[in-house]
Amino acid sequence: YGSGTSFSCPLVAGVVALLLEARPNWDYGDVYAALTATASHADNSDSVYGYGVVNAPAALGAAAVDHVVAYPNPCSTSITFEFPVSEPGEVSVQIFTVAAEEVITIKGKVLSGKSAALHWNGCNQAGEEVAAGIYIAYIQGPNINEITKLFKL
């Protein structure tokens, strides 16, 4: 058990690092706005408790997803691909080795909304777990055409 700024500062710094990993296009203002808007005393901040206890999951969802985010990255088992949805349709995630060999293609239908997600369980098309290493993901769908690097531990 602990309390005070000496305890809270490293915890909030960790939350900020995780938010910036999940939303690399956010700047200081975006992080600050997300944390203060979703903290436990957001509606009644004061000089004693400030904005209160941060809520990392709520802060992550405080802004619309505007690009593909793959998390956790690096991963040991599975990765979630979260992406913006501007219109209904089919989204595919193709995962390749660095030697350009296709590992798996994951497809899913999405409905209109703020965002959607697809998951990769770390296995190839045959259901076998792939080796640790670097992989490339190519994500395609309505108004989505992105490539991201994945690290499997």
Side-chain angles (χ1 to χ4, degrees):
Y1 295 96
S3 64
T5 56
S6 296
F7 185 71
S8 64
C9 186
L11 295 177
V12 173
V15 169
V16 168
L18 292 171
L19 287 174
L20 290 173
E21 179 182 355
R23 304 285 191 257
N25 62 324
W26 278 13
D27 62 18
Y28 167 79
D30 297 324
V31 173
Y32 179 81
L35 287 175
T36 57
T38 57
S40 63
H41 289 98
D43 295 334
N44 58 348
S45 64
D46 60 33
S47 61
V48 176
Y49 294 106
Y51 287 94
V53 178
V54 297
N55 183 338
L60 183 61
V65 177
D66 60 357
H67 67 286
V68 175
V69 179
Y71 61 89
N73 192 12
C75 75
S76 56
T77 54
S78 65
I79 289 184
T80 297
F81 298 92
E82 187 177 355
F83 44 86
V85 176
S86 59
E87 60 186 73
E90 185 173 271
V91 175
S92 69
V93 177
Q94 292 177 283
I95 300 182
F96 298 91
T97 65
V98 291
E101 298 167 335
E102 186 173 359
V103 174
I104 192 168
T105 297
I106 305 158
K107 293 184 179 186
K109 296 219 182 267
V110 295
L111 304 174
S112 292
K114 184 176 166 185
S115 66
L118 288 177
H119 307 280
W120 176 45
N121 63 2
C123 294
N124 63 18
Q125 205 71 43
E128 304 160 335
E129 188 171 345
V130 299
I134 299 172
Y135 294 87
I136 308 299
Y138 178 47
I139 304 95
Q140 282 186 294
N143 299 316
I144 303 168
N145 190 16
E146 291 193 40
I147 296 174
T148 190
K149 208 181 300 182
L150 310 173
F151 300 93
K152 185 166 185 304
L153 304 174

